PDB file of all heavy atoms in Angstrom:
ATOM      1  N   SER A  19     -88.044 -29.795-115.927  1.00 97.00           N
ATOM      2  CA  SER A  19     -87.123 -30.299-114.896  1.00 97.00           C
ATOM      3  C   SER A  19     -85.749 -29.640-115.074  1.00 97.00           C
ATOM      4  O   SER A  19     -85.452 -29.052-116.140  1.00 97.00           O
ATOM      5  CB  SER A  19     -86.974 -31.828-115.054  1.00 97.00           C
ATOM      6  OG  SER A  19     -86.284 -32.101-116.262  1.00 97.00           O
ATOM      7  N   GLN A  20     -84.912 -29.758-114.058  1.00 96.00           N
ATOM      8  CA  GLN A  20     -83.550 -29.224-114.183  1.00 96.00           C
ATOM      9  C   GLN A  20     -82.788 -29.971-115.253  1.00 96.00           C
ATOM     10  O   GLN A  20     -81.967 -29.365-115.966  1.00 96.00           O
ATOM     11  CB  GLN A  20     -82.816 -29.301-112.844  1.00 96.00           C
ATOM     12  CG  GLN A  20     -81.469 -28.560-112.839  1.00 96.00           C
ATOM     13  CD  GLN A  20     -81.573 -27.050-113.122  1.00 96.00           C
ATOM     14  OE1 GLN A  20     -82.563 -26.412-112.733  1.00 96.00           O
ATOM     15  NE2 GLN A  20     -80.611 -26.505-113.812  1.00 96.00           N
ATOM     16  N   ASP A  21     -83.049 -31.247-115.441  1.00 97.00           N
ATOM     17  CA  ASP A  21     -82.393 -32.001-116.515  1.00 97.00           C
ATOM     18  C   ASP A  21     -82.730 -31.410-117.883  1.00 97.00           C
ATOM     19  O   ASP A  21     -81.891 -31.333-118.755  1.00 97.00           O
ATOM     20  CB  ASP A  21     -82.798 -33.491-116.472  1.00 97.00           C
ATOM     21  CG  ASP A  21     -82.065 -34.268-115.394  1.00 97.00           C
ATOM     22  OD1 ASP A  21     -81.052 -33.783-114.855  1.00 97.00           O
ATOM     23  OD2 ASP A  21     -82.521 -35.375-115.058  1.00 97.00           O
ATOM     24  N   GLU A  22     -83.972 -30.990-118.071  1.00 98.00           N
ATOM     25  CA  GLU A  22     -84.356 -30.375-119.349  1.00 98.00           C
ATOM     26  C   GLU A  22     -83.662 -29.021-119.531  1.00 98.00           C
ATOM     27  O   GLU A  22     -83.270 -28.678-120.640  1.00 98.00           O
ATOM     28  CB  GLU A  22     -85.880 -30.221-119.432  1.00 98.00           C
ATOM     29  CG  GLU A  22     -86.594 -31.546-119.590  1.00 98.00           C
ATOM     30  CD  GLU A  22     -88.079 -31.465-119.397  1.00 98.00           C
ATOM     31  OE1 GLU A  22     -88.548 -30.799-118.421  1.00 98.00           O
ATOM     32  OE2 GLU A  22     -88.794 -32.079-120.203  1.00 98.00           O
ATOM     33  N   VAL A  23     -83.497 -28.288-118.446  1.00 98.00           N
ATOM     34  CA  VAL A  23     -82.762 -26.994-118.531  1.00 98.00           C
ATOM     35  C   VAL A  23     -81.312 -27.280-118.935  1.00 98.00           C
ATOM     36  O   VAL A  23     -80.764 -26.603-119.809  1.00 98.00           O
ATOM     37  CB  VAL A  23     -82.817 -26.245-117.168  1.00 98.00           C
ATOM     38  CG1 VAL A  23     -81.892 -25.052-117.181  1.00 98.00           C
ATOM     39  CG2 VAL A  23     -84.245 -25.825-116.860  1.00 98.00           C
ATOM     40  N   ILE A  24     -80.696 -28.302-118.343  1.00 97.00           N
ATOM     41  CA  ILE A  24     -79.318 -28.658-118.675  1.00 97.00           C
ATOM     42  C   ILE A  24     -79.212 -29.095-120.121  1.00 97.00           C
ATOM     43  O   ILE A  24     -78.295 -28.695-120.860  1.00 97.00           O
ATOM     44  CB  ILE A  24     -78.807 -29.776-117.721  1.00 97.00           C
ATOM     45  CG1 ILE A  24     -78.677 -29.201-116.297  1.00 97.00           C
ATOM     46  CG2 ILE A  24     -77.502 -30.391-118.192  1.00 97.00           C
ATOM     47  CD1 ILE A  24     -78.505 -30.248-115.203  1.00 97.00           C
ATOM     48  N   GLN A  25     -80.169 -29.885-120.610  1.00 98.00           N
ATOM     49  CA  GLN A  25     -80.185 -30.334-122.010  1.00 98.00           C
ATOM     50  C   GLN A  25     -80.356 -29.143-122.936  1.00 98.00           C
ATOM     51  O   GLN A  25     -79.682 -29.061-123.985  1.00 98.00           O
ATOM     52  CB  GLN A  25     -81.285 -31.333-122.244  1.00 98.00           C
ATOM     53  CG  GLN A  25     -81.041 -32.666-121.596  1.00 98.00           C
ATOM     54  CD  GLN A  25     -82.270 -33.598-121.723  1.00 98.00           C
ATOM     55  OE1 GLN A  25     -83.027 -33.511-122.668  1.00 98.00           O
ATOM     56  NE2 GLN A  25     -82.457 -34.498-120.754  1.00 98.00           N
ATOM     57  N   PHE A  26     -81.205 -28.211-122.591  1.00 98.00           N
ATOM     58  CA  PHE A  26     -81.414 -27.025-123.422  1.00 98.00           C
ATOM     59  C   PHE A  26     -80.149 -26.175-123.482  1.00 98.00           C
ATOM     60  O   PHE A  26     -79.752 -25.673-124.542  1.00 98.00           O
ATOM     61  CB  PHE A  26     -82.600 -26.186-122.853  1.00 98.00           C
ATOM     62  CG  PHE A  26     -82.996 -25.047-123.763  1.00 98.00           C
ATOM     63  CD1 PHE A  26     -83.847 -25.255-124.830  1.00 98.00           C
ATOM     64  CD2 PHE A  26     -82.560 -23.745-123.491  1.00 98.00           C
ATOM     65  CE1 PHE A  26     -84.244 -24.229-125.656  1.00 98.00           C
ATOM     66  CE2 PHE A  26     -82.972 -22.683-124.310  1.00 98.00           C
ATOM     67  CZ  PHE A  26     -83.804 -22.923-125.403  1.00 98.00           C
ATOM     68  N   ALA A  27     -79.478 -26.021-122.346  1.00 98.00           N
ATOM     69  CA  ALA A  27     -78.221 -25.276-122.278  1.00 98.00           C
ATOM     70  C   ALA A  27     -77.169 -25.944-123.185  1.00 98.00           C
ATOM     71  O   ALA A  27     -76.455 -25.240-123.911  1.00 98.00           O
ATOM     72  CB  ALA A  27     -77.725 -25.156-120.845  1.00 98.00           C
ATOM     73  N   ALA A  28     -77.106 -27.251-123.128  1.00 98.00           N
ATOM     74  CA  ALA A  28     -76.134 -27.963-123.972  1.00 98.00           C
ATOM     75  C   ALA A  28     -76.504 -27.800-125.462  1.00 98.00           C
ATOM     76  O   ALA A  28     -75.591 -27.592-126.297  1.00 98.00           O
ATOM     77  CB  ALA A  28     -76.086 -29.429-123.566  1.00 98.00           C
ATOM     78  N   LEU A  29     -77.736 -27.899-125.777  1.00 98.00           N
ATOM     79  CA  LEU A  29     -78.185 -27.804-127.168  1.00 98.00           C
ATOM     80  C   LEU A  29     -77.957 -26.369-127.748  1.00 98.00           C
ATOM     81  O   LEU A  29     -77.502 -26.231-128.867  1.00 98.00           O
ATOM     82  CB  LEU A  29     -79.665 -28.148-127.266  1.00 98.00           C
ATOM     83  CG  LEU A  29     -80.320 -28.075-128.647  1.00 98.00           C
ATOM     84  CD1 LEU A  29     -79.688 -29.150-129.556  1.00 98.00           C
ATOM     85  CD2 LEU A  29     -81.806 -28.281-128.554  1.00 98.00           C
ATOM     86  N   THR A  30     -78.246 -25.342-126.956  1.00 97.00           N
ATOM     87  CA  THR A  30     -78.124 -23.962-127.451  1.00 97.00           C
ATOM     88  C   THR A  30     -76.798 -23.302-127.195  1.00 97.00           C
ATOM     89  O   THR A  30     -76.475 -22.332-127.818  1.00 97.00           O
ATOM     90  CB  THR A  30     -79.238 -23.093-126.793  1.00 97.00           C
ATOM     91  OG1 THR A  30     -78.989 -23.012-125.383  1.00 97.00           O
ATOM     92  CG2 THR A  30     -80.620 -23.617-127.094  1.00 97.00           C
ATOM     93  N   GLY A  31     -76.039 -23.829-126.220  1.00 98.00           N
ATOM     94  CA  GLY A  31     -74.799 -23.194-125.827  1.00 98.00           C
ATOM     95  C   GLY A  31     -75.010 -22.071-124.833  1.00 98.00           C
ATOM     96  O   GLY A  31     -74.058 -21.414-124.411  1.00 98.00           O
ATOM     97  N   ASP A  32     -76.245 -21.828-124.381  1.00 97.00           N
ATOM     98  CA  ASP A  32     -76.511 -20.791-123.399  1.00 97.00           C
ATOM     99  C   ASP A  32     -76.298 -21.407-122.005  1.00 97.00           C
ATOM    100  O   ASP A  32     -77.197 -21.978-121.417  1.00 97.00           O
ATOM    101  CB  ASP A  32     -77.942 -20.297-123.527  1.00 97.00           C
ATOM    102  CG  ASP A  32     -78.301 -19.180-122.505  1.00 97.00           C
ATOM    103  OD1 ASP A  32     -77.475 -18.930-121.602  1.00 97.00           O
ATOM    104  OD2 ASP A  32     -79.402 -18.619-122.609  1.00 97.00           O
ATOM    105  N   ASN A  33     -75.076 -21.254-121.524  1.00 97.00           N
ATOM    106  CA  ASN A  33     -74.720 -21.823-120.206  1.00 97.00           C
ATOM    107  C   ASN A  33     -74.620 -20.786-119.129  1.00 97.00           C
ATOM    108  O   ASN A  33     -73.837 -20.882-118.184  1.00 97.00           O
ATOM    109  CB  ASN A  33     -73.431 -22.646-120.324  1.00 97.00           C
ATOM    110  CG  ASN A  33     -72.234 -21.782-120.737  1.00 97.00           C
ATOM    111  OD1 ASN A  33     -72.419 -20.604-121.024  1.00 97.00           O
ATOM    112  ND2 ASN A  33     -71.083 -22.388-120.823  1.00 97.00           N
TER     113      ASN A  33
END
Side-chain angles (χ1 to χ4, degrees):
S19 69
Q20 188 62 34
D21 282 344
E22 289 168 317
V23 171
I24 292 166
Q25 291 173 28
F26 188 82
L29 180 66
T30 63
D32 181 352
N33 61 358

